[in-house]
Amino acid sequence: MEDRIENIKKQLHSQSYKLTPQREVTVRVLLEREQDHLSAEDVYLLVKDKAPEIGLATVYRTLELLTELKVVDKINFGDGVSRYDLRKEGAEHFHHHLVCVECGSVTEIEEDLLGDVEDIVESKFEFDVRDHRLTFHGVCKNCHN
Ligand SMILES: [Zn+2]
Ligand SMILES: [Zn+2]
């Protein structure tokens, strides 16, 4: 955890931003709940438990900054809510998601399955792929039993 904070601090410094105490609380919440896909509102409620003086606007600005600096990815699973997902350390690509339409569970796939697709896109469309995101909607193992 402290290593990750240290790395995120460096990432901010390299772009001339500081990991202020307020920003650090938000980062800690994201690290503690790394498996979850929290909305700004969710993050705010968890931040408030640790630091009641921090307002929603501050949390929101921090999340936007972290998104801009590619510390987190903003993702939408089709329910109109933006969720924030920490990038895996050293990950070249955003991880993929399996969203269950029955129970709403979200499973992460960390392997990059799209190497071949990228090659086709790059050659056929002369498009220089930097990243991609992939969400499958379906029924999870627990729900189809
Ligand atoms: Zn995720
Ligand atoms: Zn399910």
Side-chain angles (χ1 to χ4, degrees), residues 34-37 75 77 85-86 88 94-97 106-108:
E34 195 170 5
Q35 295 317 309
D36 297 338
H37 297 82
I75 185 165
F77 291 132
D85 212 357
L86 270 177
K88 303 283 181 275
F94 189 48
H95 54 267
H96 309 313
H97 293 97
V106 178
T107 307
E108 303 196 330

Side-chain angles (χ1 to χ4, degrees), residues 29-94:
V29 163
L30 292 168
L31 282 168
E32 281 165 14
R33 302 288 294 266
E34 195 170 5
Q35 295 317 309
D36 297 338
H37 297 82
L38 303 172
S39 68
E41 196 94 322
D42 296 332
V43 175
Y44 167 63
L45 292 175
L46 293 163
V47 165
K48 216 170 68 164
D49 278 347
K50 294 176 189 286
E53 72 280 6
I54 300 178
L56 178 60
T58 304
V59 170
Y60 203 76
R61 278 198 301 273
T62 301
L63 290 170
E64 289 300 306
L65 176 68
L66 295 173
T67 305
E68 208 176 297
L69 300 180
K70 296 201 163 24
V71 174
V72 300
D73 283 296
K74 201 197 257 195
I75 185 165
N76 190 315
F77 291 132
D79 57 2
V81 179
S82 295
R83 298 172 189 284
Y84 296 87
D85 212 357
L86 270 177
R87 263 185 182 244
K88 303 283 181 275
E89 209 142 84
E92 249 183 82
H93 296 279
F94 189 48

